[in-house]
Amino acid sequence: MSAPLIQVEDLHFSYGEQAPVFQGASFNLYSGERIALLGPNGSGKTSLLRLVMGLLKPDSGTIKLFGQSMSNEKDFRKYRGRAGLLFQDSDDQLFCPTVLEEVCFGPLNQGMKPEEAKAQARTVLKQLGIEALEERITWQLSGGQKRLVALASVLAMEPEVLLLDEPTNALDNPTRERLIQILLELPQAMICIAHDDEFHGQLATRSLRVEGGCLVDA
Ligand SMILES: Nc1ncnc2c1ncn2[C@@H]1O[C@H](COP(=O)(O)OP(=O)(O)OP(=O)(O)O)[C@@H](O)[C@H]1O
Ligand SMILES: [Mg+2]
């Protein structure tokens, strides 16, 4: 088996003086895997994705992205662009005035020419079935529409790994079904949080649960 894309070893983390969120959490994500991340509200699922992206700093433990040890912000800056994080709250993710600008932002930031970035954005919007939203004002969209636009903005950057924090949140049943099919067709390894057993049953190759500050097979 090739080296893990993401490797977390003996992770400890707390928010300031609060009770620890992680007390020795470990897992690997390999190419081809779609891991469902389970656990009750407040157990630390979102925090784990933020730690993996270097948006939170662990108290101790090892995080490796694409085989490289991440010890400071400089390391993360070099590698986090290869992983795409869908935030739990779309309003934390969306910041451009229109949908097309939003989805173009990542590719432009990666150095793509404006026309190519537009074409790339349009391809992803079509893939998600939301091409009609292209000219809409982002903040005026419905919750479900925002969810899909946020996902489009992540996919447009063609990350090697996807970290999806409740992607089905605010989606109706037909849209959720369509999203599952889209995710199943994507080549990327992913970690996906959702409070939805059916979603996990259809999508995941294995499941992990946050329990007592650790990650256990579910
Ligand atoms: N910025 C923060 N400052 C202090 N405590 C926080 C912060 N963010 C989260 N927490 C706390 O850390 C714990 C883990 O939160 P986290 O958001 O990771 O849980 P979660 O498993 O994603 O929950 P949910 O299913 O509700 O999204 C909770 O007790 C939460 O209150
Ligand atoms: Mg969460």
Side-chain angles (χ1 to χ4, degrees):
M1 202 181 250
S2 53
L5 301 168
I6 297 176
Q7 203 169 359
V8 168
E9 193 64 46
D10 198 23
L11 185 75
H12 290 248
F13 173 74
S14 15
Y15 287 100
E17 297 302 305
Q18 290 184 49
V21 179
F22 291 109
Q23 309 181 76
S26 303
F27 79 97
N28 292 329
L29 175 76
Y30 290 95
S31 178
E33 284 196 305
R34 290 187 298 271
I35 295 180
L37 183 59
L38 314 172
N41 292 135
S43 57
K45 305 178 297 297
T46 295
S47 303
L48 184 67
L49 298 192
R50 288 178 169 264
L51 284 157
V52 165
M53 289 296 274
L55 305 175
L56 292 171
K57 198 174 162 351
D59 300 325
S60 65
T62 316
I63 296 173
K64 287 187 184 172
L65 298 183
F66 309 103
Q68 306 297 316
S69 277
M70 301 290 113
S71 49
N72 52 42
E73 171 57 22
K74 204 171 146 222
D75 298 331
F76 276 109
R77 215 176 300 144
K78 225 159 135 191
Y79 289 94
R80 72 159 67 94
R82 291 168 62 181
L85 173 63
L86 179 75
F87 285 70
Q88 180 165 6
D89 183 347
S90 304
D91 288 328
D92 290 341
Q93 192 129 29
L94 303 175
F95 59 94
C96 291
T98 70
V99 168
L100 189 61
E101 285 170 287
E102 187 68 57
V103 184
C104 281
F105 182 86
L108 285 173
N109 204 34
Q110 287 171 328
M112 211 180 255
K113 293 198 182 86
E115 282 316 306
E116 283 173 49
K118 251 187 212 173
Q120 169 100 332
R122 287 185 169 130
T123 302
V124 178
L125 289 170
K126 195 159 193 309
Q127 183 188 10
L128 294 178
I130 50 168
E131 64 271 32
L133 300 180
E134 169 179 321
E135 289 177 16
R136 292 283 304 276
I137 306 294
T138 315
W139 62 265
Q140 292 177 345
L141 297 173
S142 75
Q145 289 170 334
K146 280 185 187 171
R147 207 74 205 112
L148 292 172
V149 171
L151 181 61
S153 73
V154 172
L155 295 180
M157 289 186 278
E158 300 189 312
E160 289 166 56
V161 166
L162 294 167
L163 305 175
L164 306 177
D165 199 341
E166 306 202 20
T168 52
N169 200 357
L171 299 185
D172 58 35
N173 277 341
T175 311
R176 195 179 59 116
E177 285 299 317
R178 194 154 46 80
L179 179 64
I180 292 172
Q181 290 314 312
I182 291 163
L183 294 179
L184 279 171
E185 282 164 24
L186 291 176
Q188 287 100 332
M190 60 184 79
I191 301 173
C192 187
I193 302 172
H195 296 282
D196 176 346
D197 288 344
E198 198 190 334
F199 181 80
H200 287 144
Q202 284 175 269
L203 186 75
T205 55
R206 69 185 170 107
S207 302
L208 293 174
R209 181 181 302 282
V210 187
E211 211 172 277
C214 293
L215 289 164
V216 298
D217 290 331

